Amino acid sequence: MSQPSDTPNLADRMPLWLMLLTGIGLALWVLAAAFPFFWMTLISFRLPVDAFSVPPKLIAPFTTEHYWQLWVGDRFWLKFLNSTIITVGVLVISLTIGCLAAYALARYGGALGFWLLLVALIFRALPHVTLLPSYKFAFFELGLWNRYETLIVILVAINQPFTIWMLRSFFMNIPKELDEAAQVDGCSRIQAFVKVILPVMWPGIITTGLFSFLLAYNDFLISSQMMNADKMTMTSALSAYMNADDDAFKLMQGVAGAVSITAPLVVLVLFFQKQLVSGLTQGAVKG
Amino acid sequence: MPFRTFLGFVLPSVVAMLMLIALPLAGVVYLSLWNSYTKTSFVETTVRTPVGTRVERRPVAELDAAGNPVIVREWYGSRNFETVLGASNLAEAWERDRSVSATGQPTSAWQRFTALFRDVTNVKFWGALEFTLLYTAVTTPIILALGFLIAMGVNSVVRELKGVLIFASLLPFIVTPVVGSLSIKWLFLDNAIITVWLEQLGFGKIYFMQNAFTTRLLIILVGIWKATPFVFIVLYAGLQTVPSETREAAIIDGANRWQTIRHVIIPHLMPLFVFVTLIHLMDAYRVFEPILVFSGGQGADSLQHLTYKILSDEQNFHKASAAALLMVLGIVVLLVPLIIKTYKDQRRAFA
């Protein structure tokens, strides 16, 4: 991936004006990318009158009232708990069955494997709302609506096409000889998979897991339709504060909620920046 | 790997996809062909008011023996699709006489065309399709250009800065889409920071949420803000693989900076440009959260949001299914090139 250090870098020969332009352009981009987060966090600790003041203030009295109102008054902690249950459930099941399938798809050469991958690709492109009428109708009729298990199973299934494609590309990089050596040493297929292949797959599993986590954690469309009141996830619970532009305090609780949802994601990027980047480029650079 | 082992390994995943993707898809087709409603009958009651009595007819749900409302299911054929597509409105719009304007002047062909276009896009489905396509057409070239410029820029800065730049860029990309849209909306509310700054800079007070044009502008802005990092990261990774020999050879042959970019770097990145374009086309086609946050469907709608609305507000599974299937038609068109490419790639891998 990285180029040898002795190659002439374009930066070495850049004229001054181009260097300046690059610097200004990149500074503007960083500002555009990060400013909404910075400002949202800043005003979440202010009273409405300071948060939306004319002219805007950089320094204003500090308050944690909105967080208190949201987490305790509106019981946002319950939504946090729901989000945790849903994302952990999705992550564990999705990766377990995804790893099994992806490993088989990476090692099996028959036509069925090929068609399975192709169908998974089509499923992956389906807009999620396409399946929603069926989910809502069927789970309502079955009396399984508004339950953790239901939402977890749905999100796992929707996530499978992506998961198996991505994990498979990681498994493809592990030489087949490794399985064969393990089997020669007396391992069964499943033993070889668990004892020999999985331990070297961790980077791939972490990367795929990050994206599975994001899908479950960020989902609004399905969660908001399949869960109700106290079972809502944090993301779908935001809808209650979304159109409260007339009620300043309600709006500010929404801001506090948005910051609360974002905080774990920022930590995630801090710790897993490398894996996220490698996941994004996985499908692209290798073809 | 023997076939039986293969089956054992893929079984859980395949069952999950069959039960919760394939079956629901068939279910949507089924639902779209039917209609259902709660059976009601009218009950007459006498209402006493200060000015006398009157008889009121109120609808009451009929109950079966168990006390549950009676649901009537009715074959609808293509009627749900016709409702979503606004078939009758379309026919009417097509036949409307537009040869004379409201003031009595004869109209030009262009005026007649725009009037027809307006009438058609007044039907919700076509309005949503129009904005979905507009959104896709505007965002795609901008994110490709911007992502490429940022990738080139980041590639040329010192290593210490690269980490910070990538970190900041990842934020809009991974943040919860609803939160991302809201964080930008909160900058553009009537008393919010950017609105106030623009006013102080002399642009006048702009009520961003009050008119269709600025709402559309903001939705497109959010789309660019969110999708550019993906293009940047992929192209940046691609830039690391440009063979240095080719680049040096170009420089030795006397190519200037622009020529190197034009004839060495861009051709090398071409497959990646195609890849990110395909992914973005699919993402743009199903744009949802910015619409939900900024317009709620007023002035700017998307196909996915329209279907969601039919489901959440009208609670009409059947009409929503029809809208969802019409949306799938578009995905099929988008997918054809991707499927052909994958078919070729994987055929090679499996052969």
Side-chain angles (χ1 to χ4, degrees), chain A residues 1-4 7-11 13-15 18 22 26 29-30 32-37 39-40 43 52-56 97 100-101 103-105 107-110 112-118 120-137 139 141 153-154 157-158 160-161 164-165 168 172 189-190 193 211 214 217-218 220-221 224-225 235 238 242-243 245 251 254-255 258 261-262 265-266 269-270 273 276-277 280-281 283-285 287, chain B residues 1-3 5-7 9-10 12-14 16-17 20-25 27-28 31 73 146 150 152-157 162-163 165-179 182-187 189 191-194 196-197 200 225 228-230 233-234 237-238 240-241 244 247-248 251 257 265 272 275 279 282 285-286 288-289 292-293 304 307-308 311-312 315 317 320-321 324 327-328 331 335 338-339 341-343 345-347 349-350:
Chain A
M1 285 285 268
S2 63
Q3 59 191 116
T7 45
N9 195 315
L10 279 180
R13 309 176 293 110
M14 267 192 171
L18 192 57
T22 309
L26 288 177
W29 164 246
V30 169
F35 184 72
F37 298 106
W39 191 250
M40 170 174 91
I43 64 173
F52 294 97
S53 62
V54 183
I97 67 175
L100 288 170
Y103 173 66
L105 284 165
R107 292 295 185 259
Y108 176 70
L112 188 66
F114 167 75
W115 287 109
L116 209 63
L117 281 170
L118 203 65
L121 185 75
I122 298 170
F123 283 169
R124 187 181 158 186
L126 279 182
H128 293 168
V129 83
T130 313
L131 304 169
L132 204 49
S134 275
Y135 291 149
K136 216 178 165 185
F137 182 80
F139 287 111
E141 295 278 296
V153 175
I154 289 176
I158 287 194
Q160 272 306 290
I164 57 179
W165 264 93
R168 176 178 166 271
M172 295 289 267
R189 253 296 167 189
I190 193 86
F193 173 67
F211 286 90
L214 286 177
Y217 187 81
N218 286 347
F220 179 90
L221 189 64
S224 69
Q225 289 297 300
T235 306
L238 259 195
M242 216 146 61
N243 294 313
D245 299 350
L251 173 71
V255 179
I261 294 174
T262 313
L265 293 175
V266 174
V269 184
L270 275 176
Q273 179 162 332
L276 282 167
V277 170
L280 281 179
T281 52
V285 180
Chain B
M1 182 182 271
F3 183 65
T5 324
F6 169 73
L7 271 191
F9 270 91
V10 295
S13 177
V14 168
M17 286 193 282
L20 287 149
I21 301 181
L23 193 65
L25 203 56
V28 168
L31 282 173
R73 300 199 200 290
L146 209 58
I150 297 170
M152 290 295 287
V154 171
N155 201 35
S156 68
V157 301
K162 286 178 182 167
L165 285 163
I166 293 175
F167 172 76
S169 303
L170 277 172
L171 288 178
F173 178 72
I174 59 121
V175 75
T176 312
V178 177
V179 172
L182 280 171
S183 74
I184 294 205
K185 185 185 181 181
W186 290 328
L187 299 175
L189 290 179
N191 271 331
I193 179 162
I194 293 192
V196 174
W197 275 350
Q200 287 173 343
W225 180 74
T228 302
F230 173 64
I233 301 271
V234 170
Q240 313 309 311
T241 66
S244 46
R247 200 192 290 195
E248 280 163 28
I251 294 168
R257 181 180 310 278
I265 294 178
L272 295 184
F275 169 79
I279 297 281
M282 275 193 265
Y285 184 69
R286 53 188 177 195
F288 170 69
E289 281 90 352
L292 182 80
V293 167
Q304 173 138 268
T307 314
Y308 170 85
L311 201 60
S312 69
Q315 294 281 349
F317 300 119
S321 298
M327 202 185 163
V328 172
I331 272 291
L335 261 184
L338 191 65
I339 289 183
K341 182 184 177 299
T342 315
Y343 186 83
D345 290 354
Q346 300 300 328
R347 254 285 128 84
F350 274 87

Side-chain angles (χ1 to χ4, degrees), chain B residues 60-226:
Chain B
V60 173
E62 282 182 21
L63 303 180
D64 62 10
N68 295 318
V70 180
I71 308 277
V72 182
R73 300 199 200 290
E74 181 183 2
W75 173 258
Y76 244 38
S78 64
R79 275 164 69 191
N80 284 316
F81 294 93
E82 284 163 28
T83 317
V84 174
L85 291 172
S88 58
N89 305 43
L90 284 190
E92 194 186 305
W94 182 250
E95 275 160 20
R96 189 170 300 156
D97 180 24
R98 299 188 183 82
S99 55
V100 188
S101 74
T103 51
Q105 249 101 52
T107 52
S108 66
W110 173 249
Q111 282 170 325
R112 285 197 295 277
F113 174 76
T114 51
L116 176 67
F117 184 77
R118 223 176 11 251
D119 285 343
V120 170
T121 50
N122 271 342
V123 178
K124 276 190 178 170
F125 178 84
W126 299 104
L129 182 65
E130 183 231 357
F131 185 70
T132 307
L133 294 179
L134 181 76
Y135 173 87
T136 312
V138 176
T139 51
T140 309
I142 297 180
I143 62 159
L144 288 179
L146 209 58
F148 178 67
L149 285 177
I150 297 170
M152 290 295 287
V154 171
N155 201 35
S156 68
V157 301
V158 289
R159 182 175 312 180
E160 288 71 27
L161 274 176
K162 286 178 182 167
V164 181
L165 285 163
I166 293 175
F167 172 76
S169 303
L170 277 172
L171 288 178
F173 178 72
I174 59 121
V175 75
T176 312
V178 177
V179 172
S181 298
L182 280 171
S183 74
I184 294 205
K185 185 185 181 181
W186 290 328
L187 299 175
F188 288 93
L189 290 179
D190 292 346
N191 271 331
I193 179 162
I194 293 192
T195 315
V196 174
W197 275 350
L198 286 175
E199 193 184 359
Q200 287 173 343
L201 287 173
F203 288 96
K205 182 93 180 176
I206 306 168
Y207 295 93
F208 280 97
M209 305 305 151
Q210 307 298 326
N211 78 63
F213 178 75
T214 46
T215 311
R216 288 178 161 212
L217 203 67
L218 286 180
I219 292 171
I220 287 170
L221 191 75
V222 172
I224 294 168
W225 180 74
K226 188 169 170 52

